[in-house]
Amino acid sequence: MLKSRYFWLANSAFWVAVLGIFVHIQYGTVLGTADELSWGRTWVLMSPWFLTWIPVTAVIFKVVSHNARRDQHLTAKILSHAVWAGLLLSFYWLFCSSIRILLRDDSLSDLWDVSTHIFTNSAQLDIAIYVGVLVIALSINFYHRAMQESMELRRVQNDLVQEQLKALRTQLNPHFLFNTLNTIASLVRLKREKDAVSALSELSMMLRKILENKEHTDIKVKDEISFIQSYLTIQKMRFADKLNTNISVEPDCMEIEIPNMLLQPLVENAVQHGSQMESNSNPVNLNITRSDNELMFVLTNKISRGDKHDGFGIGLSTTRERLNRLYQKFRLELTPLNDGVFQTILAIPIGAKDA
């Protein structure tokens, strides 16, 4: 703090202002009496008693800061402040007395009389001022330490949340990879080698995107959609007649950033349900819109009769847990509609992540 120019500016301005107030009071008190002095002369004579507090205040702040960093018992800290108070006040009285003698052209032999006058008249005020400055220094130091500890706690909490989110996202990768490899294995068993090669090519591109974004907590909607489309391409190779997919995104949503791999587990869950239907052309529709500061994802898909839509694996539960850690307010609603259609609504605030 002592290295800050704002501290010295505020410190100097405060004591100059206090000096000005006391000079005005003193000048008005002796005005018209035998002890009358000009305002400027009064300023000069009183300035040592107040301007000397500028360096003294700095030393007090330094002592407070030094004692705060030391691992000492409270009694030792109080004793340290008492010793410093004695030293600083002794220096203050001696220095100001000497300057007063010089300004008044008095003899150094008057130093004892001046010192006696200080102890009998202004010493109590000086001690009160010292205690006041010490209390302010202790309060400011306590506030700064509390703020630093709060910032450090928030940083640690943020790092912890980021690690937890990274762990959750890491769980999604093998989950998605297992299902995709299972699809490719099925294509091979069905002797659809050409489709299997194409699926491996799509998988390669998806893995490349995962590696490119592994350090990124957020990704643009357009990149997430590109990833999902590659996934759907692979799934449609296996379930060509079972799935009828459609993705609709409003143009002004494309550049908005969302948590990486937020939508993929939801789409994967819908595909798993649709692929197990006995009927063909089961819809999997994803619609992305925005309203003011909210981004909305509406996913519809068909489910088997009596299916509770509890999800497959960890996809939905992991998504909800990520959302709980990222946002204070969000909506993730799973609602059955008519004709075996199930609707998943996800709404998140734009640019309002908490983690």
Side-chain angles (χ1 to χ4, degrees):
M1 180 184 293
L2 297 182
K3 295 180 180 180
S4 171
R5 60 182 180 182
Y6 298 107
F7 168 81
W8 287 104
L9 181 61
N11 183 23
S12 301
F14 175 79
W15 288 113
V16 169
V18 172
L19 171 61
I21 293 172
F22 273 82
V23 168
H24 183 73
I25 295 173
Q26 182 68 20
Y27 175 74
T29 301
V30 300
L31 188 63
T33 68
D35 296 326
E36 179 180 349
L37 297 172
S38 67
W39 197 92
R41 181 61 177 169
T42 304
W43 174 281
V44 171
L45 292 176
M46 295 189 68
S47 59
W49 303 100
F50 293 94
L51 299 186
T52 305
W53 278 106
I54 295 175
V56 172
T57 298
V59 175
I60 293 173
F61 271 77
K62 181 66 176 179
V63 171
V64 168
S65 177
H66 178 71
N67 283 346
R69 291 195 298 267
R70 298 175 65 185
D71 187 16
Q72 287 184 324
H73 193 271
L74 179 61
T75 303
K77 291 185 177 182
I78 294 175
L79 181 61
S80 174
H81 283 299
V83 171
W84 275 103
L87 292 174
L88 288 174
L89 285 173
S90 298
F91 163 79
Y92 170 77
W93 289 325
L94 180 61
F95 177 78
C96 291
S97 299
S98 302
I99 295 299
R100 176 182 175 179
I101 291 174
L102 293 176
L103 292 175
R104 289 178 173 271
D105 294 327
D106 293 334
S107 172
L108 288 176
S109 59
D110 297 328
L111 182 60
W112 175 256
D113 294 333
V114 174
S115 300
T116 302
H117 177 78
I118 291 174
F119 281 107
T120 56
N121 290 275
S122 63
Q124 292 180 349
L125 176 61
D126 294 332
I127 293 173
I129 292 175
Y130 186 97
V131 172
V133 174
L134 179 60
V135 169
I136 293 174
L138 288 170
S139 300
I140 293 177
N141 184 266
F142 176 80
Y143 174 77
H144 279 190
R145 290 184 63 190
M147 290 296 295
Q148 290 175 351
E149 290 176 359
S150 176
M151 292 174 62
E152 179 65 17
L153 179 60
R154 290 184 62 182
R155 186 191 66 79
V156 172
Q157 290 176 336
N158 183 68
D159 290 345
L160 177 61
V161 170
Q162 291 297 336
E163 288 300 318
Q164 291 171 337
L165 289 171
K166 187 181 294 184
L168 290 172
R169 196 170 70 244
T170 302
Q171 288 179 359
L172 293 175
N173 292 341
H175 176 71
F176 136 78
L177 185 59
F178 172 79
N179 289 330
T180 305
L181 289 175
N182 188 48
T183 296
I184 295 174
S186 298
L187 293 174
V188 173
R189 284 196 295 269
L190 294 171
K191 300 187 182 301
R192 294 168 57 184
E193 289 82 1
K194 185 176 181 180
D195 287 340
V197 171
S198 298
L200 283 172
S201 178
E202 291 287 345
L203 177 61
S204 175
M205 288 189 293
M206 294 176 71
L207 292 176
R208 186 179 301 112
K209 291 176 183 177
I210 291 177
L211 292 175
E212 290 174 353
N213 295 296
K214 67 177 182 178
E215 300 299 329
H216 300 156
T217 58
D218 295 329
I219 190 172
K220 292 182 178 180
V221 169
K222 64 178 182 181
D223 296 324
E224 180 85 346
I225 294 303
S226 176
F227 184 87
I228 290 173
Q229 286 175 334
S230 294
Y231 171 77
L232 290 176
T233 298
I234 295 175
Q235 296 303 323
K236 289 173 72 173
M237 290 179 187
R238 180 182 179 186
F239 307 111
D241 298 328
K242 291 284 187 180
L243 301 174
N244 182 18
T245 63
N246 178 61
I247 298 178
S248 174
V249 186
E250 289 185 349
D252 57 349
C253 297
M254 286 295 194
E255 297 297 323
I256 297 176
E257 291 190 341
I258 60 174
N260 195 0
M261 288 192 75
L262 177 65
L263 301 179
Q264 197 276 334
L266 302 180
V267 174
E268 181 177 353
N269 188 65
V271 167
Q272 292 286 353
H273 281 285
S275 64
Q276 294 186 5
M277 297 285 294
E278 294 181 359
S279 59
N280 293 331
S281 299
N282 300 301
V284 176
N285 300 320
L286 176 61
N287 186 37
I288 303 178
T289 60
R290 68 174 296 174
S291 176
D292 296 328
N293 293 321
E294 187 177 66
L295 190 62
M296 181 173 291
F297 310 91
V298 179
L299 178 65
T300 56
N301 62 280
K302 295 201 73 173
I303 62 173
S304 300
R305 188 174 302 232
D307 194 330
K308 295 182 180 180
H309 203 71
D310 290 331
F312 288 77
I314 64 172
L316 288 179
S317 60
T318 301
T319 298
R320 188 178 294 277
E321 188 172 350
R322 289 181 71 195
L323 291 168
N324 282 325
R325 296 183 184 280
L326 286 169
Y327 302 102
Q328 288 184 343
K329 291 183 179 181
F330 70 91
R331 283 192 297 147
L332 181 56
E333 302 172 354
L334 287 74
T335 309
L337 303 179
N338 297 326
D339 301 325
V341 176
F342 205 91
Q343 178 177 267
T344 302
I345 297 178
L346 171 60
I348 59 175
I350 298 174
K353 285 172 60 177
D354 300 316

